[in-house]
Amino acid sequence: MDPSPPPLSADDPQSSLSTTSLYRNPALGDFIIRTSDGVQLYIYRAFLTVASPLFADMFSLPQSSSDASGADEPHVTVQEDSVVWEKLIALCYAPKVPASADLDDLASLGRFIDAGTKYQMPAAIAYVRASMLMLVAKDTLGVYALACVYKFSDVARVAARESLRLSIYHKCSDVALDLMTSHAHQRLMMYRERCGIVARSVVNKLINMNIRPANTTWPSGTRKPGLASSVAPHLVNSCQRPACYRVCNGKPDDQRNGAFMTYLETIHAQLEYNPDPDLAYSESLLKAIVTTASACPTCLERVHDKASDLSRQLRAALEETISKVKLQME
């Protein structure tokens, strides 16, 4: 039986994917991986068999004692370089979920996916998926494009959702530009458009509710929208002083000029091209509400709580509504 060392612990420093010298020691393996850049990497066949059904099948075949050049060492020559194979070997010994995105180069991730698929190494593919999710915030569109190329629909949907935070004029990384197909870009734009439509509908209900007279009776058998009902105290008759409409309704003869209405109408317009629920927390818009309320002692006393409640409830409603929109994959 071939000698096999105990598996490396995931907490062992030698199990780090950045370790290189460990796999170049002839004493630490009974099989050689000869990479395209001329490096010989050593691994025990027992671990490679478990990690890759492809190698398991290969090792089940009768093995010759030497190759055409007369070499005695069992080996295989691969098309990938040592950078890729050192990571693959590390995962053969200690398959794990990355604690951080040590694979932070999307171009290299593509080569790693190709190798993991070619050699049927599910641990490698799982590792790449986890690394891509960690890179979503760093290069949202690059991760989306790469996920579309390899049909990782779960990763693509996470990246598409994160992209809503980006301006429609956001500058793409070089990797994103190289990988993004016209179909992937079109699907992303259609997703953003649908998210914008449903998000604006949420805000539009509040706007339409607020321009009704305060004593309007809703039709029998119908209900106010849930969010509109909960925030109605913030939008209608906030101040009980008859002459004061500063915070909610503006001047008595122009109900659409109130600070809350300006807040809603501005967000409604922005959501068309930037359907991000965090717009509800716009510092400048919320500050304008407080500034307007400062002219009335009664309004100023309550405006901070009212503005905070409205922004929190609006963001939650936008988040819930947008989360129901799904990116369409091929």
Side-chain angles (χ1 to χ4, degrees):
M1 179 180 297
D2 294 326
S4 300
L8 297 176
S9 167
D11 297 325
D12 193 316
Q14 290 185 324
S15 69
S16 170
L17 289 183
S18 63
T19 301
T20 59
S21 60
L22 180 66
Y23 311 120
R24 302 189 184 195
N25 187 345
L28 297 180
D30 58 8
F31 189 74
I32 301 173
I33 303 291
R34 292 180 177 170
T35 63
S36 62
D37 53 345
V39 176
Q40 290 198 156
L41 302 174
Y42 296 84
I43 184 173
Y44 284 94
R45 278 178 285 189
F47 289 99
L48 198 52
T49 298
V50 172
S52 168
L54 183 69
F55 278 100
D57 291 342
M58 186 182 78
F59 292 144
S60 68
L61 301 174
Q63 304 293 307
S64 60
S65 59
S66 64
D67 61 15
S69 64
D72 295 327
E73 299 171 307
H75 71 277
V76 64
T77 300
V78 296
Q79 296 178 336
E80 298 78 25
D81 61 23
S82 58
V83 174
V84 170
W85 264 100
E86 282 169 348
K87 298 183 188 301
L88 289 177
I89 292 175
L91 289 173
C92 289
Y93 283 115
K96 60 179 181 178
V97 175
S100 61
D102 67 333
L103 291 173
D104 58 0
D105 179 0
L106 289 179
S108 297
L109 277 176
R111 294 189 295 125
F112 197 54
I113 297 171
D114 290 335
T117 303
K118 176 180 178 180
Y119 298 109
Q120 301 175 20
M121 294 182 172
I125 301 302
Y127 195 92
V128 171
R129 285 178 182 266
S131 296
M132 291 173 67
L133 289 173
M134 292 182 177
L135 292 172
V136 166
K138 179 180 179 181
D139 188 356
T140 305
L141 298 180
V143 171
Y144 168 78
L146 186 64
C148 289
V149 169
Y150 290 98
K151 302 187 186 305
F152 293 169
S153 58
D154 55 336
V155 179
R157 289 193 170 97
V158 171
R161 178 64 181 80
E162 183 68 18
S163 75
L164 299 182
R165 302 180 185 277
L166 304 177
S167 165
I168 195 171
Y169 303 110
H170 178 77
K171 183 179 179 180
C172 296
S173 66
D174 291 340
V175 174
L177 290 173
D178 290 340
L179 294 175
M180 187 80 73
T181 66
S182 58
H183 291 296
H185 182 264
Q186 182 181 33
R187 289 195 299 272
L188 183 61
M189 291 299 101
M190 292 175 62
Y191 169 74
R192 288 179 66 98
E193 181 181 12
R194 292 197 303 272
C195 289
I197 290 172
V198 299
R200 296 180 79 204
S201 70
V202 171
V203 181
N204 197 49
K205 290 177 182 178
L206 295 177
I207 294 174
N208 289 336
M209 181 206 72
N210 195 42
I211 63 176
R212 289 169 173 264
N215 60 355
T216 295
T217 301
W218 289 78
S220 176
T222 64
R223 299 175 58 189
K224 294 182 181 181
L227 177 64
S229 178
S230 64
V231 302
H234 307 305
L235 298 173
V236 180
N237 294 335
S238 174
C239 181
Q240 299 302 315
R241 298 172 63 191
C244 183
Y245 291 86
R246 291 186 181 88
V247 175
C248 299
N249 300 323
K251 300 176 183 178
D253 60 344
D254 186 5
Q255 293 188 349
R256 297 182 63 84
N257 286 338
F260 277 116
M261 285 299 296
T262 300
Y263 167 84
L264 291 175
E265 290 174 341
T266 302
I267 290 177
H268 183 268
Q270 292 175 347
L271 286 170
E272 181 175 6
Y273 300 106
N274 187 201
D276 178 12
D278 283 346
L279 290 176
Y281 290 156
S282 171
E283 182 178 353
S284 61
L285 293 177
L286 292 173
K287 183 178 180 180
I289 294 176
V290 176
T291 300
T292 303
S294 64
C296 172
T298 303
C299 290
L300 182 59
E301 181 180 347
R302 298 178 296 173
V303 68
H304 290 91
D305 289 340
K306 289 180 177 295
S308 176
D309 288 346
L310 173 58
S311 62
R312 184 177 63 254
Q313 293 171 25
L314 178 57
R315 189 199 179 284
L318 292 173
E319 182 72 36
E320 179 183 4
T321 301
I322 290 174
S323 67
K324 297 176 182 178
V325 181
K326 301 300 182 184
L327 174 73
Q328 299 299 316
M329 300 292 292
E330 289 181 334

